[in-house]
Amino acid sequence: MLFQCKHAMAKLIFFFRNLSDMLRSNFCLILFLLLKYSLYNHPASNMSDKSKRYEAICSQLRCMKENGPVLFQFVIDAMETEIVQSSLIFGLNFDYKATWIKDIQSCANDLDIQLDNAKPTWKRIENKLHNKRQGNTSAPVKPSTPSPVASSSSTCSTLKTKLSTTDRDKAPWSVERKMREFVATLSYIHPSLSFILDTNDLNWVDYFSKEELEEIKSSGQPILRHIPDELKPKFEQIEKLKSALDAYNFGRLIDHHPIEQPLLTWLFQTLVQTAPFFIPGACTSTQNMLESDKLYYLWNFLNTIYRNSGIEALGKEKTSTTHAKTLNSKRKLSAADVIEREKIGRRLDTIYIGDGIELGGLETGSRKDNTKEFEDSMLKLPIVFKDMLTEIVSHRPSLLHKAHVIGYNINGNAVRLIDADVPGGHIVRIRRTDELEYPTNSDGYALKMVSLLELASYGKAIIDDTYALCCQTRVPPSAGGMPSLLPRSTKNRAP
């Protein structure tokens, strides 16, 4: 009996020694699990996370409010990264959909923002969560080959199957979705906040492939249209001239009627006015001309090409009325607050107008300034052009994907043609030509000048086409204002 008691005591002592060694070796793991449980279930931690989530949602809603109606799906898409991160942290038992819907609705109510009633889709977020949670598993996933038409019985299994690399490349891509991804990263004012995509903006290289950018650029009508038949042979003859004096004499001999042949009149006036500055022996230098002088003496052919055509080129820093209309769209009669002062539109060096319809504009700088070119060419002009397009299609909805607005940005001794349109959807696309330089001497005058004359002809062809469409499209009667087919530009404008 005594022997059995000693044996049992020895086994008990051995068991407790093993238990002590096990606890000591796994002490760090047990401590980590206890800390993790206490942090995730501590009220202060949850309140801190909820506060950050609430602040991020409110910031996103304020930004979207300035662009027009706020759609629930757009908010979900914009907060996609935050939703995925929070769901991964709190695990499978965390009802992220209900939590985020409740927080978004709460923020919208606090900010007095009306959300749509459409049920949002969470498919992209579900796929991302599934991929991230399965990322550590070593089991291979067999890629599926999706059928051309998915039946209702196979929908669930299809959504749960990973796409192969080939299938993913074939999946449709959306310009609007990729723009929303880019907008979510912004810290400064950018044209994309006003639903403008500039194909020359290098930021898009990180969001679109080379093929996608090429598709965006090439869709719709080309930026370089056609040259009028009466000018083609003249341009070919000018290209063969050797000097500025030859060009001057060629211009003097152009036979034309000042009213019935406005394009030949324009060509005659341009050559006779600009060539003398570069004829050897000329005393007037073009290098030190002020901005207004350069526009009047050197670049005026970009404006005079519209004489006797129904299009006016209004200069002297005229303000854009369509831009002013957008800025004052929320102006209301004094009630709780005093009525806001009326804002003026952005001033441009030239605005092209036909029968009260703004069709484009021009900005110039006397000296080459790359910073000014960024502000004028990539921020100021695109936003003004978007407002011009908005005004056109608001009264003529059928022209949404047909209307174009053009402009010129002159930076010192070079110029670009800028084209704005909506090739599809509701995103305003900005395209531009490469820079063309102005002549600086007699020998290079003819070759450089004929390229500039062709550029002016391309710009006129675009404006003429849009103006003709506007004149041929009836503006129907309306009550309560015509609904805008393009999202409103942001409240924060270019400086």
Side-chain angles (χ1 to χ4, degrees), residues 400-471:
L400 175 61
H401 302 312
K402 299 177 182 178
H404 287 249
V405 168
I406 68 108
Y408 300 96
N409 184 68
I410 300 172
N411 185 27
N413 205 43
V415 64
R416 294 180 188 269
L417 171 64
I418 304 172
D419 173 68
D421 71 329
V422 184
H426 296 82
I427 301 298
V428 175
R429 173 184 63 178
I430 300 294
R431 296 178 295 175
R432 65 195 71 228
T433 63
D434 296 332
E435 276 191 341
L436 287 178
E437 293 186 348
Y438 203 90
T440 55
N441 55 60
S442 176
D443 294 337
Y445 175 85
L447 291 179
K448 290 186 176 181
M449 199 65 201
V450 74
S451 297
L452 294 173
L453 295 172
E454 287 181 348
L455 188 71
S457 301
Y458 291 136
K460 186 179 186 300
I462 296 175
I463 284 187
D464 285 346
D465 289 347
T466 300
Y467 182 58
L469 289 171
C470 291
C471 293

Side-chain angles (χ1 to χ4, degrees), residues 328-341:
N328 294 292
S329 60
K330 295 184 180 180
R331 194 166 178 253
K332 55 188 177 183
L333 190 65
S334 297
D337 299 317
V338 67
I339 186 173
E340 295 182 3
R341 294 183 62 184

Side-chain angles (χ1 to χ4, degrees), residues 322-362:
T322 55
H323 185 66
K325 186 175 181 179
T326 303
L327 292 178
N328 294 292
S329 60
K330 295 184 180 180
R331 194 166 178 253
K332 55 188 177 183
L333 190 65
S334 297
D337 299 317
V338 67
I339 186 173
E340 295 182 3
R341 294 183 62 184
E342 185 177 9
K343 302 179 180 69
I344 64 172
R346 185 65 62 185
R347 293 183 181 275
L348 300 181
D349 292 314
T350 301
I351 293 182
Y352 304 116
I353 299 179
D355 196 21
I357 305 170
E358 294 187 358
L359 300 165
L362 178 149

Side-chain angles (χ1 to χ4, degrees), residues 386-405:
K386 186 263 179 84
D387 291 337
M388 291 180 178
L389 277 174
T390 300
E391 182 70 10
I392 292 174
V393 302
S394 294
H395 296 283
R396 304 166 184 83
S398 62
L399 302 185
L400 175 61
H401 302 312
K402 299 177 182 178
H404 287 249
V405 168

Side-chain angles (χ1 to χ4, degrees), residues 13-67:
I13 292 172
F14 179 77
F15 170 75
F16 278 110
R17 281 180 178 176
N18 287 340
L19 179 63
S20 175
D21 293 340
M22 182 182 68
L23 291 174
R24 188 162 49 248
S25 62
N26 293 282
F27 175 75
C28 294
L29 177 61
I30 295 172
L31 180 61
F32 171 76
L33 293 174
L34 289 173
L35 286 173
K36 180 179 179 181
Y37 177 82
S38 62
L39 283 174
Y40 287 167
N41 292 275
H42 195 277
S45 175
N46 289 336
M47 288 299 293
S48 174
D49 180 77
K50 183 176 180 180
S51 176
K52 292 179 180 178
R53 185 165 62 245
Y54 184 88
E55 182 180 347
I57 294 172
C58 288
S59 175
Q60 189 66 44
L61 287 175
R62 291 190 192 97
C63 176
M64 289 184 170
K65 183 180 179 182
E66 300 298 334
N67 296 328

Side-chain angles (χ1 to χ4, degrees), residues 191 198 200-203 369-382 409 411 432 494:
D198 192 328
N200 283 68
D201 188 348
L202 295 180
N203 286 299
D369 186 337
N370 292 331
T371 301
K372 187 178 187 301
E373 184 184 22
F374 266 115
E375 293 176 353
D376 289 346
S377 176
M378 306 195 74
L379 189 59
K380 176 181 177 180
L381 287 176
N409 184 68
N411 185 27
R432 65 195 71 228

